[in-house]
Amino acid sequence: MQLSEVVEVSREVGATRSRKAKIAALAAVLARAEVDLLPVVVSFLSGEPRQDRLELGPAAVFGAEAPPAATPSLTVAEVDDALQQIADTPAGTGSRTARIRLLTEVLERATADEQDWLRRLVVRDLRQGALAGVLTAAIAQAAAVPEAAVRRAAMLSGDLRVTAAAAMTGGEAALTAFRLEVGCALEPMLASTATSVTEALTETTAAADGHGGVVVEAKLDGARVQVHRDGDRVLIFTRNLNEVAHRMPEVVDAALGLPVSSVVLDGEALALDDEGRPRRFQDTMARIGRERVPAGGSPEEVPLSVRFFDCLHLDGEDVLDRPLRERLDALARAVPAPLRVEALTTDDPADAEAFLQRTLAAGHEGVMVKALDAPYEAGRRGASWRKVKPVHTLDLVVLAAEWGSGRRRRWLSNLHLGARAEPGDPVDVEGPDGGFTMLGKTFKGLTDATLTWQTAALLEREVRREQHVVHVRPELVVEIALDGFVRSTRYAGGIALRFARVRGYREDKGTAQADTLATARAIFSGQRPPGA
Protein backbone atom coordinates (compact mmCIF):
# COMPACT_ATOMS: atom_id res chain seq x y z
CA MET A 1 0.00 0.00 0.00
CA GLN A 2 1.25 3.45 -0.91
CA LEU A 3 1.70 6.00 1.87
CA SER A 4 -0.13 8.52 -0.31
CA GLU A 5 -3.34 6.51 0.16
CA VAL A 6 -3.12 6.88 3.93
CA VAL A 7 -2.20 10.56 3.67
CA GLU A 8 -5.15 11.22 1.38
CA VAL A 9 -7.66 9.46 3.63
CA SER A 10 -6.23 11.35 6.61
CA ARG A 11 -6.88 14.58 4.72
CA GLU A 12 -10.43 13.49 3.90
CA VAL A 13 -11.17 12.48 7.48
CA GLY A 14 -9.72 15.68 8.88
CA ALA A 15 -11.69 17.82 6.42
CA THR A 16 -15.15 16.52 7.27
CA ARG A 17 -17.25 16.62 10.42
CA SER A 18 -19.52 13.85 9.17
CA ARG A 19 -18.95 10.72 11.22
CA LYS A 20 -20.52 8.65 8.45
CA ALA A 21 -18.11 10.09 5.88
CA LYS A 22 -15.12 9.49 8.17
CA ILE A 23 -16.12 5.87 8.68
CA ALA A 24 -16.65 5.27 4.96
CA ALA A 25 -13.27 6.76 4.02
CA LEU A 26 -11.41 4.80 6.69
CA ALA A 27 -13.21 1.55 5.85
CA ALA A 28 -12.25 1.91 2.20
CA VAL A 29 -8.54 2.20 2.91
CA LEU A 30 -8.65 -0.61 5.51
CA ALA A 31 -10.29 -2.91 2.97
CA ARG A 32 -7.44 -2.25 0.51
CA ALA A 33 -4.62 -2.81 3.04
CA GLU A 34 -2.58 -6.00 2.95
CA VAL A 35 -3.34 -8.19 5.96
CA ASP A 36 0.21 -8.08 7.31
CA LEU A 37 0.16 -4.27 7.13
CA LEU A 38 -3.15 -3.82 8.94
CA PRO A 39 -1.55 -3.14 12.37
CA VAL A 40 0.61 -0.41 10.81
CA VAL A 41 -2.25 1.13 8.84
CA VAL A 42 -4.48 1.17 11.92
CA SER A 43 -1.70 2.84 13.91
CA PHE A 44 -1.18 5.48 11.21
CA LEU A 45 -4.90 6.15 10.94
CA SER A 46 -5.02 6.47 14.73
CA GLY A 47 -2.51 9.29 14.38
CA GLU A 48 0.59 7.70 15.84
CA PRO A 49 3.47 5.44 14.82
CA ARG A 50 3.42 1.75 15.71
CA GLN A 51 6.61 2.31 17.72
CA ASP A 52 6.20 3.47 21.32
CA ARG A 53 9.18 5.84 21.42
CA LEU A 54 11.14 7.52 18.64
CA GLU A 55 13.10 9.98 20.84
CA LEU A 56 12.59 12.83 18.36
CA GLY A 57 11.07 16.08 19.58
CA PRO A 58 9.32 18.79 17.52
CA ALA A 59 12.51 20.85 17.10
CA ALA A 60 14.36 17.90 15.54
CA VAL A 61 11.42 16.75 13.42
CA PHE A 62 10.44 20.11 12.00
CA GLY A 63 14.06 21.22 11.75
CA ALA A 64 15.06 18.28 9.53
CA GLU A 65 15.47 19.80 6.07
CA ALA A 66 14.69 17.69 3.01
CA PRO A 67 13.59 18.73 -0.48
CA PRO A 68 10.22 17.10 -1.25
CA ALA A 69 9.88 14.48 -3.96
CA ALA A 70 7.92 15.41 -7.08
CA THR A 71 5.81 12.25 -7.12
CA PRO A 72 4.71 9.79 -4.42
CA SER A 73 6.68 6.54 -4.17
CA LEU A 74 6.87 5.67 -0.47
CA THR A 75 4.99 2.64 0.76
CA VAL A 76 3.46 2.17 4.20
CA ALA A 77 5.88 -0.71 4.84
CA GLU A 78 8.91 1.43 3.98
CA VAL A 79 7.82 4.18 6.34
CA ASP A 80 7.21 1.71 9.16
CA ASP A 81 10.63 0.13 8.54
CA ALA A 82 12.28 3.56 8.70
CA LEU A 83 10.49 4.43 11.93
CA GLN A 84 11.54 1.09 13.40
CA GLN A 85 15.17 1.85 12.53
CA ILE A 86 14.82 5.17 14.33
CA ALA A 87 13.30 3.44 17.37
CA ASP A 88 16.08 0.82 17.33
CA THR A 89 18.90 3.39 17.27
CA PRO A 90 20.97 2.76 20.41
CA ALA A 91 21.15 5.58 22.94
CA GLY A 92 24.46 7.32 23.36
CA THR A 93 26.77 9.78 21.67
CA GLY A 94 25.58 10.57 18.15
CA SER A 95 22.22 8.83 18.57
CA ARG A 96 20.20 12.00 17.98
CA THR A 97 22.13 12.77 14.83
CA ALA A 98 21.60 9.21 13.62
CA ARG A 99 17.85 9.41 14.22
CA ILE A 100 17.58 12.74 12.39
CA ARG A 101 19.56 11.29 9.46
CA LEU A 102 17.17 8.33 9.20
CA LEU A 103 14.19 10.68 9.36
CA THR A 104 15.69 12.95 6.72
CA GLU A 105 16.27 9.99 4.40
CA VAL A 106 12.61 9.02 4.47
CA LEU A 107 11.51 12.66 4.16
CA GLU A 108 13.60 13.05 1.00
CA ARG A 109 11.47 10.36 -0.64
CA ALA A 110 8.19 11.99 0.42
CA THR A 111 6.12 14.58 -1.39
CA ALA A 112 5.38 17.89 0.31
CA ASP A 113 2.01 16.63 1.59
CA GLU A 114 3.58 13.37 2.75
CA GLN A 115 6.38 15.27 4.51
CA ASP A 116 3.91 17.39 6.45
CA TRP A 117 1.91 14.28 7.40
CA LEU A 118 5.02 12.33 8.42
CA ARG A 119 6.35 15.10 10.61
CA ARG A 120 3.03 15.37 12.43
CA LEU A 121 2.82 11.57 12.75
CA VAL A 122 6.24 11.37 14.40
CA VAL A 123 5.37 14.05 16.99
CA ARG A 124 1.87 12.56 17.41
CA ASP A 125 0.09 15.75 16.36
CA LEU A 126 -1.95 14.61 13.37
CA ARG A 127 -5.33 15.58 14.86
CA GLN A 128 -7.03 13.97 11.87
CA GLY A 129 -10.27 13.05 13.60
CA ALA A 130 -9.85 9.25 13.37
CA LEU A 131 -10.57 8.56 17.02
CA ALA A 132 -10.86 5.01 18.34
CA GLY A 133 -14.64 5.01 18.15
CA VAL A 134 -14.63 6.02 14.49
CA LEU A 135 -11.92 3.50 13.65
CA THR A 136 -13.84 0.76 15.43
CA ALA A 137 -16.86 1.48 13.25
CA ALA A 138 -14.65 1.61 10.15
CA ILE A 139 -13.10 -1.79 10.93
CA ALA A 140 -16.59 -3.24 11.35
CA GLN A 141 -17.68 -1.80 8.02
CA ALA A 142 -14.56 -2.96 6.18
CA ALA A 143 -14.85 -6.49 7.60
CA ALA A 144 -18.66 -6.61 7.33
CA VAL A 145 -19.06 -7.58 10.99
CA PRO A 146 -21.15 -6.05 13.83
CA GLU A 147 -19.55 -3.00 15.40
CA ALA A 148 -20.36 -4.35 18.87
CA ALA A 149 -18.26 -7.45 18.11
CA VAL A 150 -15.28 -5.29 17.11
CA ARG A 151 -15.68 -3.11 20.18
CA ARG A 152 -15.83 -6.09 22.53
CA ALA A 153 -12.80 -7.76 20.95
CA ALA A 154 -10.84 -4.50 21.17
CA MET A 155 -11.80 -4.25 24.83
CA LEU A 156 -10.56 -7.76 25.58
CA SER A 157 -7.41 -7.61 23.46
CA GLY A 158 -6.52 -4.08 24.50
CA ASP A 159 -5.23 -3.49 20.98
CA LEU A 160 -7.31 -2.19 18.07
CA ARG A 161 -4.57 -3.31 15.66
CA VAL A 162 -4.90 -6.95 16.73
CA THR A 163 -8.65 -6.62 16.58
CA ALA A 164 -8.57 -5.24 13.04
CA ALA A 165 -6.44 -8.14 11.81
CA ALA A 166 -8.80 -10.65 13.44
CA ALA A 167 -11.87 -8.99 11.95
CA MET A 168 -10.44 -8.81 8.43
CA THR A 169 -9.12 -12.37 8.41
CA GLY A 170 -11.57 -14.34 10.56
CA GLY A 171 -14.73 -12.26 10.66
CA GLU A 172 -17.18 -12.33 13.54
CA ALA A 173 -16.14 -15.83 14.64
CA ALA A 174 -12.58 -14.65 15.26
CA LEU A 175 -13.86 -11.67 17.23
CA THR A 176 -16.14 -13.70 19.48
CA ALA A 177 -13.21 -15.98 20.31
CA PHE A 178 -11.61 -13.20 22.39
CA ARG A 179 -11.94 -13.83 26.12
CA LEU A 180 -10.98 -11.94 29.25
CA GLU A 181 -7.67 -13.23 30.52
CA VAL A 182 -6.75 -12.55 34.12
CA GLY A 183 -3.42 -10.76 33.93
CA CYS A 184 -4.13 -9.14 30.55
CA ALA A 185 -5.14 -5.48 30.94
CA LEU A 186 -8.38 -4.14 29.48
CA GLU A 187 -9.00 -0.63 28.23
CA PRO A 188 -10.98 1.07 31.03
CA MET A 189 -14.56 2.14 30.50
CA LEU A 190 -14.85 5.92 30.43
CA ALA A 191 -17.59 8.40 31.29
CA SER A 192 -19.17 11.26 29.42
CA THR A 193 -19.47 14.63 31.17
CA ALA A 194 -22.64 16.15 32.58
CA THR A 195 -22.96 19.64 34.00
CA SER A 196 -25.23 18.65 36.92
CA VAL A 197 -26.55 15.59 38.68
CA THR A 198 -30.02 16.32 37.28
CA GLU A 199 -28.65 16.31 33.75
CA ALA A 200 -26.65 13.15 34.49
CA LEU A 201 -29.69 11.35 35.89
CA THR A 202 -31.82 12.39 32.90
CA GLU A 203 -29.28 11.41 30.27
CA THR A 204 -28.23 8.15 31.93
CA THR A 205 -31.86 7.12 32.38
CA ALA A 206 -32.55 7.99 28.73
CA ALA A 207 -29.58 5.88 27.64
CA ALA A 208 -31.10 2.96 29.54
CA ASP A 209 -34.50 3.56 27.87
CA GLY A 210 -35.93 4.59 31.21
CA HIS A 211 -35.49 1.17 32.78
CA GLY A 212 -33.14 -0.38 35.29
CA GLY A 213 -32.36 2.59 37.52
CA VAL A 214 -29.06 4.30 38.27
CA VAL A 215 -26.41 4.36 40.95
CA VAL A 216 -24.56 7.50 42.07
CA GLU A 217 -20.96 6.92 43.17
CA ALA A 218 -18.32 9.14 44.73
CA LYS A 219 -15.74 10.20 42.14
CA LEU A 220 -12.35 9.95 43.81
CA ASP A 221 -9.39 12.11 42.83
CA GLY A 222 -6.86 9.31 42.58
CA ALA A 223 -5.19 7.11 40.00
CA ARG A 224 -7.38 4.67 38.06
CA VAL A 225 -6.23 1.11 38.68
CA GLN A 226 -7.27 -2.24 37.27
CA VAL A 227 -6.31 -5.00 39.69
CA HIS A 228 -5.88 -8.60 38.48
CA ARG A 229 -5.39 -11.40 40.98
CA ASP A 230 -4.85 -15.05 40.08
CA GLY A 231 -4.02 -17.03 43.20
CA ASP A 232 -1.04 -15.35 44.83
CA ARG A 233 -0.16 -13.36 41.72
CA VAL A 234 -1.35 -9.73 41.58
CA LEU A 235 -0.93 -7.32 38.67
CA ILE A 236 -1.99 -3.68 38.76
CA PHE A 237 -2.52 -1.69 35.58
CA THR A 238 -2.86 2.07 35.22
CA ARG A 239 -5.31 3.81 32.91
CA ASN A 240 -2.59 3.71 30.24
CA LEU A 241 -2.21 -0.07 30.82
CA ASN A 242 1.22 0.19 32.45
CA GLU A 243 1.86 -2.53 35.05
CA VAL A 244 2.77 -0.92 38.40
CA ALA A 245 2.26 -3.52 41.15
CA HIS A 246 5.84 -2.91 42.35
CA ARG A 247 4.87 0.68 43.12
CA MET A 248 1.74 -0.17 45.10
CA PRO A 249 2.47 -2.85 47.73
CA GLU A 250 -0.53 -1.69 49.81
CA VAL A 251 -2.88 -2.37 46.88
CA VAL A 252 -1.24 -5.75 46.31
CA ASP A 253 -1.80 -6.60 49.99
CA ALA A 254 -5.44 -5.47 49.76
CA ALA A 255 -6.00 -7.71 46.73
CA LEU A 256 -4.34 -10.70 48.40
CA GLY A 257 -6.55 -10.20 51.43
CA LEU A 258 -9.78 -10.66 49.47
CA PRO A 259 -11.72 -13.94 49.90
CA VAL A 260 -11.29 -14.94 46.24
CA SER A 261 -9.03 -17.09 44.09
CA SER A 262 -9.17 -14.95 40.97
CA VAL A 263 -10.64 -11.50 40.33
CA VAL A 264 -10.39 -8.46 38.07
CA LEU A 265 -11.42 -5.20 39.73
CA ASP A 266 -11.69 -1.58 38.59
CA GLY A 267 -10.97 1.15 41.11
CA GLU A 268 -8.95 4.12 42.30
CA ALA A 269 -5.73 4.28 44.29
CA LEU A 270 -5.26 7.40 46.36
CA ALA A 271 -3.47 8.77 49.39
CA LEU A 272 -5.63 9.53 52.43
CA ASP A 273 -4.76 11.53 55.52
CA ASP A 274 -5.26 10.37 59.12
CA GLU A 275 -8.90 11.53 59.02
CA GLY A 276 -9.65 9.58 55.86
CA ARG A 277 -9.77 12.65 53.63
CA PRO A 278 -7.93 12.57 50.31
CA ARG A 279 -4.50 14.12 50.20
CA ARG A 280 -3.65 16.34 47.26
CA PHE A 281 -3.64 14.58 43.91
CA GLN A 282 0.00 15.64 43.59
CA ASP A 283 0.87 13.60 46.71
CA THR A 284 -0.84 10.52 45.28
CA MET A 285 0.88 10.80 41.91
CA ALA A 286 4.29 11.55 43.44
CA ARG A 287 4.02 8.39 45.50
CA ILE A 288 2.84 6.29 42.56
CA GLY A 289 5.62 7.74 40.43
CA ARG A 290 8.28 6.16 42.63
CA GLU A 291 9.80 3.31 40.67
CA ARG A 292 9.98 0.92 43.62
CA VAL A 293 8.40 0.97 47.06
CA PRO A 294 9.42 -1.64 49.67
CA ALA A 295 6.73 -4.01 50.92
CA GLY A 296 5.35 -2.65 54.16
CA GLY A 297 6.47 0.86 53.21
CA SER A 298 8.51 3.08 55.48
CA PRO A 299 7.64 5.87 57.95
CA GLU A 300 8.37 8.61 55.41
CA GLU A 301 6.23 7.06 52.67
CA VAL A 302 2.82 8.45 51.76
CA PRO A 303 0.56 5.40 52.25
CA LEU A 304 -1.84 4.42 49.47
CA SER A 305 -5.39 3.21 49.81
CA VAL A 306 -7.60 1.60 47.20
CA ARG A 307 -11.35 1.79 46.60
CA PHE A 308 -13.05 -0.45 44.05
CA PHE A 309 -16.21 0.34 42.06
CA ASP A 310 -16.54 -2.50 39.52
CA CYS A 311 -15.88 -6.21 39.09
CA LEU A 312 -15.13 -7.73 35.67
CA HIS A 313 -14.18 -11.28 36.63
CA LEU A 314 -14.71 -13.37 39.74
CA ASP A 315 -13.37 -16.86 40.49
CA GLY A 316 -13.19 -18.13 36.93
CA GLU A 317 -16.33 -16.39 35.66
CA ASP A 318 -16.33 -13.32 33.38
CA VAL A 319 -18.99 -10.81 34.44
CA LEU A 320 -18.03 -7.77 32.35
CA ASP A 321 -20.82 -8.42 29.82
CA ARG A 322 -23.43 -8.52 32.57
CA PRO A 323 -25.45 -5.48 33.75
CA LEU A 324 -23.81 -3.23 36.31
CA ARG A 325 -26.24 -4.35 39.02
CA GLU A 326 -24.92 -7.92 38.69
CA ARG A 327 -21.32 -6.71 38.62
CA LEU A 328 -21.96 -4.74 41.80
CA ASP A 329 -23.34 -7.90 43.42
CA ALA A 330 -20.12 -9.68 42.44
CA LEU A 331 -18.13 -6.73 43.80
CA ALA A 332 -19.94 -6.97 47.13
CA ARG A 333 -19.15 -10.69 47.35
CA ALA A 334 -15.48 -10.13 46.58
CA VAL A 335 -14.66 -6.85 48.32
CA PRO A 336 -15.58 -5.70 51.86
CA ALA A 337 -17.44 -2.38 52.21
CA PRO A 338 -14.42 -0.35 53.48
CA LEU A 339 -12.63 -1.06 50.19
CA ARG A 340 -15.62 -0.14 47.99
CA VAL A 341 -16.42 3.33 46.66
CA GLU A 342 -19.34 4.90 48.51
CA ALA A 343 -22.52 4.79 46.41
CA LEU A 344 -26.23 5.57 46.50
CA THR A 345 -28.92 3.93 44.39
CA THR A 346 -31.49 6.62 43.61
CA ASP A 347 -33.35 8.32 40.80
CA ASP A 348 -34.26 11.35 42.94
CA PRO A 349 -32.34 14.49 41.84
CA ALA A 350 -32.55 15.98 45.35
CA ASP A 351 -31.03 12.86 46.93
CA ALA A 352 -28.35 12.74 44.23
CA GLU A 353 -27.52 16.43 44.73
CA ALA A 354 -27.25 15.94 48.49
CA PHE A 355 -24.92 12.98 47.89
CA LEU A 356 -22.79 15.17 45.58
CA GLN A 357 -22.50 17.89 48.22
CA ARG A 358 -21.52 15.32 50.90
CA THR A 359 -18.92 13.90 48.53
CA LEU A 360 -17.45 17.33 47.80
CA ALA A 361 -17.42 18.16 51.52
CA ALA A 362 -15.44 14.96 52.10
CA GLY A 363 -12.77 16.30 49.75
CA HIS A 364 -13.56 14.25 46.64
CA GLU A 365 -13.99 15.73 43.18
CA GLY A 366 -17.58 14.83 42.24
CA VAL A 367 -19.83 11.89 41.45
CA MET A 368 -20.43 9.28 38.78
CA VAL A 369 -23.95 8.43 37.64
CA LYS A 370 -24.22 4.95 36.08
CA ALA A 371 -27.03 2.94 34.49
CA LEU A 372 -27.54 -0.27 36.45
CA ASP A 373 -28.52 -2.26 33.36
CA ALA A 374 -25.44 -1.31 31.30
CA PRO A 375 -22.57 -3.73 30.52
CA TYR A 376 -18.92 -2.78 30.91
CA GLU A 377 -17.83 -1.17 27.64
CA ALA A 378 -14.06 -0.95 27.86
CA GLY A 379 -12.39 1.89 26.03
CA ARG A 380 -15.69 3.66 25.37
CA ARG A 381 -16.91 7.00 26.67
CA GLY A 382 -20.52 5.93 26.59
CA ALA A 383 -23.82 7.44 27.69
CA SER A 384 -24.40 4.89 30.46
CA TRP A 385 -21.69 6.47 32.67
CA ARG A 386 -21.80 10.20 33.38
CA LYS A 387 -19.40 12.19 35.53
CA VAL A 388 -20.39 15.32 37.39
CA LYS A 389 -17.28 17.17 38.38
CA PRO A 390 -17.71 20.80 39.44
CA VAL A 391 -14.69 22.81 38.34
CA HIS A 392 -12.98 25.94 39.54
CA THR A 393 -12.88 28.99 37.29
CA LEU A 394 -10.53 31.95 37.49
CA ASP A 395 -10.11 35.11 35.46
CA LEU A 396 -6.36 35.36 34.84
CA VAL A 397 -4.12 37.72 32.91
CA VAL A 398 -2.05 36.70 29.88
CA LEU A 399 1.62 37.53 30.59
CA ALA A 400 3.23 35.82 27.58
CA ALA A 401 2.63 33.13 24.97
CA GLU A 402 4.70 30.52 23.15
CA TRP A 403 4.67 29.76 19.45
CA GLY A 404 2.98 26.44 18.84
CA SER A 405 4.42 23.38 17.15
CA GLY A 406 3.06 21.03 14.53
CA ARG A 407 -0.32 22.18 13.28
CA ARG A 408 -0.18 25.21 15.59
CA ARG A 409 3.27 26.39 14.59
CA ARG A 410 1.95 29.59 12.95
CA TRP A 411 0.01 30.64 16.06
CA LEU A 412 0.85 31.85 19.55
CA SER A 413 -0.59 28.98 21.53
CA ASN A 414 0.70 28.17 25.03
CA LEU A 415 -0.46 30.97 27.33
CA HIS A 416 1.49 32.12 30.41
CA LEU A 417 -1.15 33.03 32.98
CA GLY A 418 -0.94 35.21 36.06
CA ALA A 419 -3.11 36.21 39.02
CA ARG A 420 -3.34 39.75 40.36
CA ALA A 421 -0.82 40.31 43.13
CA GLU A 422 -1.69 42.19 46.29
CA PRO A 423 0.66 43.87 48.79
CA GLY A 424 3.15 41.32 50.07
CA ASP A 425 2.65 38.91 47.18
CA PRO A 426 5.52 38.00 44.84
CA VAL A 427 5.35 39.84 41.51
CA ASP A 428 6.52 38.43 38.17
CA VAL A 429 5.19 41.13 35.85
CA GLU A 430 4.28 44.78 36.46
CA GLY A 431 1.30 46.33 34.71
CA PRO A 432 -0.81 49.46 34.75
CA ASP A 433 -3.15 47.87 37.29
CA GLY A 434 -0.39 46.54 39.54
CA GLY A 435 1.64 43.36 39.61
CA PHE A 436 0.88 39.82 38.52
CA THR A 437 2.16 36.45 39.73
CA MET A 438 2.50 33.64 37.21
CA LEU A 439 0.51 30.50 38.00
CA GLY A 440 1.19 28.32 34.99
CA LYS A 441 0.50 27.71 31.32
CA THR A 442 -2.13 26.16 29.08
CA PHE A 443 -2.81 25.65 25.38
CA LYS A 444 -6.01 23.63 25.86
CA GLY A 445 -9.50 24.75 24.88
CA LEU A 446 -8.38 27.05 22.06
CA THR A 447 -10.22 26.84 18.75
CA ASP A 448 -8.57 27.80 15.47
CA ALA A 449 -10.61 31.01 15.43
CA THR A 450 -9.46 31.90 18.96
CA LEU A 451 -5.84 31.09 18.10
CA THR A 452 -5.99 33.38 15.07
CA TRP A 453 -7.50 36.26 17.08
CA GLN A 454 -5.22 35.60 20.05
CA THR A 455 -2.05 35.67 17.96
CA ALA A 456 -2.92 39.05 16.43
CA ALA A 457 -4.01 40.51 19.78
CA LEU A 458 -0.87 39.37 21.58
CA LEU A 459 1.52 40.53 18.87
CA GLU A 460 -0.04 43.98 19.15
CA ARG A 461 0.95 43.91 22.83
CA GLU A 462 4.44 42.43 22.42
CA VAL A 463 7.14 43.94 24.60
CA ARG A 464 10.01 41.49 24.02
CA ARG A 465 10.89 38.01 22.79
CA GLU A 466 12.85 35.25 24.45
CA GLN A 467 13.48 32.42 21.97
CA HIS A 468 9.97 30.99 21.25
CA VAL A 469 8.26 33.05 23.98
CA VAL A 470 6.55 36.38 23.23
CA HIS A 471 6.17 38.54 26.34
CA VAL A 472 3.23 40.94 26.22
CA ARG A 473 1.73 43.85 28.12
CA PRO A 474 -0.60 42.37 30.77
CA GLU A 475 -3.85 43.67 29.32
CA LEU A 476 -5.93 40.64 28.32
CA VAL A 477 -8.08 38.68 30.79
CA VAL A 478 -9.03 35.09 30.02
CA GLU A 479 -11.43 32.81 31.89
CA ILE A 480 -9.75 29.54 32.83
CA ALA A 481 -11.37 26.33 34.05
CA LEU A 482 -9.11 24.20 36.20
CA ASP A 483 -9.21 21.15 38.44
CA GLY A 484 -7.21 22.90 41.15
CA PHE A 485 -3.59 23.63 41.99
CA VAL A 486 -0.45 21.69 42.86
CA ARG A 487 2.57 22.78 44.82
CA SER A 488 5.31 24.22 42.64
CA THR A 489 8.83 25.53 43.12
CA ARG A 490 8.83 26.80 39.54
CA TYR A 491 6.59 29.77 40.23
CA ALA A 492 7.03 32.48 42.85
CA GLY A 493 3.52 31.96 44.21
CA GLY A 494 4.38 28.38 45.20
CA ILE A 495 1.46 26.81 43.32
CA ALA A 496 0.70 25.87 39.71
CA LEU A 497 -2.46 25.33 37.67
CA ARG A 498 -3.69 21.75 37.35
CA PHE A 499 -5.48 20.68 34.14
CA ALA A 500 -6.21 24.24 33.07
CA ARG A 501 -8.15 24.99 29.89
CA VAL A 502 -9.39 28.19 28.27
CA ARG A 503 -13.09 28.97 28.46
CA GLY A 504 -12.86 32.26 26.64
CA TYR A 505 -11.48 35.77 26.69
CA ARG A 506 -13.20 38.28 28.98
CA GLU A 507 -13.17 41.40 26.87
CA ASP A 508 -15.64 42.89 29.36
CA LYS A 509 -13.04 42.82 32.13
CA GLY A 510 -9.91 44.79 32.81
CA THR A 511 -6.88 43.37 34.57
CA ALA A 512 -7.88 45.15 37.80
CA GLN A 513 -10.83 42.72 37.89
CA ALA A 514 -8.68 39.60 37.51
CA ASP A 515 -8.63 37.07 40.34
CA THR A 516 -5.95 37.40 43.00
CA LEU A 517 -3.19 35.09 44.15
CA ALA A 518 -5.06 34.88 47.47
CA THR A 519 -8.08 33.40 45.66
CA ALA A 520 -5.84 30.85 43.94
CA ARG A 521 -4.31 29.89 47.27
CA ALA A 522 -7.79 29.47 48.77
CA ILE A 523 -8.56 26.93 46.04
CA PHE A 524 -5.27 25.16 46.74
CA SER A 525 -5.98 24.95 50.48
CA GLY A 526 -9.54 23.71 49.96
CA GLN A 527 -11.10 26.82 51.51
CA ARG A 528 -12.82 27.65 48.22
CA PRO A 529 -14.82 24.70 46.84
CA PRO A 530 -15.61 24.26 43.12
CA GLY A 531 -18.30 26.60 41.85
CA ALA A 532 -17.82 29.10 44.70
Side-chain angles (χ1 to χ4, degrees):
M1 171 172 275
Q2 295 294 305
L3 178 67
S4 58
E5 296 181 68
V6 177
V7 173
E8 176 57 23
V9 78
S10 294
R11 186 198 64 76
E12 290 179 33
V13 169
T16 180
R17 293 189 176 183
S18 167
R19 188 174 188 273
K20 184 177 180 180
K22 290 178 190 287
I23 291 169
L26 292 167
V29 76
L30 287 169
R32 295 195 302 270
E34 298 93 330
V35 170
D36 60 339
L37 281 180
L38 272 170
V40 179
V41 173
V42 171
S43 289
F44 285 5
L45 294 176
S46 299
E48 57 185 26
R50 181 177 57 83
Q51 296 73 18
D52 290 334
R53 298 176 67 87
L54 295 173
E55 303 295 349
L56 285 172
V61 172
F62 289 96
E65 297 183 2
T71 57
S73 65
L74 274 174
T75 66
V76 168
E78 288 171 334
V79 171
D80 183 60
D81 287 344
L83 295 179
Q84 190 59 52
Q85 290 181 53
I86 293 172
D88 291 340
T89 301
T93 304
S95 60
R96 184 174 184 272
T97 300
R99 293 189 186 98
I100 294 173
R101 176 181 55 77
L102 289 166
L103 175 65
T104 302
E105 288 175 357
V106 75
L107 289 174
E108 287 173 344
R109 296 188 54 202
T111 65
D113 286 345
E114 290 171 343
Q115 283 188 350
D116 177 67
W117 185 91
L118 280 167
R119 293 180 198 274
R120 290 186 290 126
L121 176 77
V122 170
V123 298
R124 291 170 166 79
D125 191 38
L126 270 174
R127 301 172 186 265
Q128 58 195 13
L131 300 177
V134 176
L135 261 175
T136 298
I139 291 167
Q141 188 174 117
V145 297
E147 183 179 340
V150 177
R151 190 163 57 244
R152 184 180 183 281
M155 167 182 72
L156 294 171
S157 70
D159 192 330
L160 196 57
R161 298 168 298 185
V162 172
T163 304
M168 297 297 288
T169 57
E172 187 173 359
L175 296 175
T176 56
F178 284 88
R179 292 287 183 271
L180 186 154
E181 181 180 343
V182 178
C184 180
L186 303 173
E187 292 281 350
M189 184 171 177
L190 305 175
S192 300
T193 300
T195 59
S196 67
V197 288
T198 299
E199 177 186 300
L201 287 169
T202 300
E203 294 182 347
T204 305
T205 301
D209 295 325
H211 303 292
V214 299
V215 63
V216 185
E217 296 176 349
K219 187 178 190 308
L220 309 185
D221 193 14
R224 185 83 173 264
V225 290
Q226 187 179 115
V227 176
H228 293 236
R229 174 184 163 187
D230 187 8
D232 293 333
R233 179 171 177 257
V234 175
L235 298 174
I236 303 172
F237 298 97
T238 66
R239 178 169 171 166
N240 294 328
L241 308 186
N242 297 316
E243 205 287 308
V244 292
H246 58 288
R247 299 180 184 176
M248 302 184 184
E250 305 97 325
V251 180
V252 171
D253 290 342
L256 290 173
L258 300 176
V260 301
S261 59
S262 67
V263 71
V264 177
L265 300 168
D266 200 351
E268 293 271 338
L270 72 166
L272 302 174
D273 63 20
D274 293 339
E275 297 179 354
R277 293 178 62 84
R279 293 177 181 249
R280 302 187 196 285
F281 179 78
Q282 187 179 20
D283 295 336
T284 295
M285 297 314 293
R287 163 51 211 281
I288 292 173
R290 288 202 52 184
E291 186 54 35
R292 177 124 349 234
V293 179
S298 59
E300 67 273 12
E301 290 290 353
V302 173
L304 285 180
S305 298
V306 66
R307 299 292 183 270
F308 297 110
F309 54 76
D310 215 327
C311 180
L312 311 183
H313 173 94
L314 180 58
D315 287 338
E317 186 177 3
D318 293 347
V319 294
L320 76 167
D321 291 324
R322 296 186 182 179
L324 175 60
R325 69 174 69 254
E326 294 185 29
R327 302 200 308 274
L328 291 179
D329 287 343
L331 181 69
R333 295 196 304 272
V335 179
L339 294 181
R340 299 199 302 265
V341 169
E342 185 179 356
L344 174 70
T345 300
T346 183
D347 57 4
D348 186 325
D351 288 346
E353 180 64 33
F355 183 83
L356 168 63
Q357 296 307 319
R358 291 196 302 273
T359 301
L360 293 174
H364 302 301
E365 63 177 4
V367 295
M368 301 286 292
V369 179
K370 301 177 179 178
L372 284 167
D373 276 355
Y376 192 92
E377 299 178 280
R380 292 199 72 201
R381 195 177 296 279
S384 58
W385 284 17
R386 300 278 178 173
K387 59 183 175 183
V388 183
K389 182 179 170 183
V391 298
H392 300 279
T393 60
L394 288 175
D395 292 330
L396 301 178
V397 178
V398 180
L399 307 178
E402 301 173 12
W403 289 105
S405 61
R407 198 178 68 85
R408 289 190 176 190
R409 60 185 178 277
R410 66 182 185 277
W411 289 314
L412 285 170
S413 176
N414 202 16
L415 300 175
H416 295 206
L417 301 165
R420 184 161 50 87
E422 297 176 305
D425 289 338
V427 173
D428 291 315
V429 174
E430 297 282 358
D433 294 320
F436 302 93
T437 304
M438 186 162 166
L439 295 178
K441 309 175 186 180
T442 189
F443 56 83
K444 297 185 181 298
L446 295 165
T447 64
D448 289 0
T450 301
L451 285 163
T452 300
W453 176 88
Q454 172 179 286
T455 300
L458 293 175
L459 289 176
E460 288 175 1
R461 293 165 172 80
E462 179 180 352
V463 294
R464 63 187 175 87
R465 295 197 184 194
E466 188 178 4
Q467 296 180 336
H468 64 294
V469 180
V470 176
H471 297 266
V472 300
R473 297 191 303 275
E475 297 175 352
L476 296 178
V477 177
V478 62
E479 183 181 9
I480 300 295
L482 63 150
D483 285 8
F485 286 91
V486 296
R487 286 187 297 271
S488 174
T489 57
R490 177 179 298 179
Y491 303 121
I495 56 177
L497 299 166
R498 178 186 171 209
F499 298 140
R501 53 270 189 204
V502 173
R503 280 197 165 180
Y505 276 87
R506 295 298 305 266
E507 298 181 65
D508 59 322
K509 286 192 173 185
T511 55
Q513 298 170 288
D515 282 305
T516 64
L517 177 60
T519 299
R521 285 174 169 164
I523 293 174
F524 174 70
S525 66
Q527 296 174 358
R528 177 178 169 176

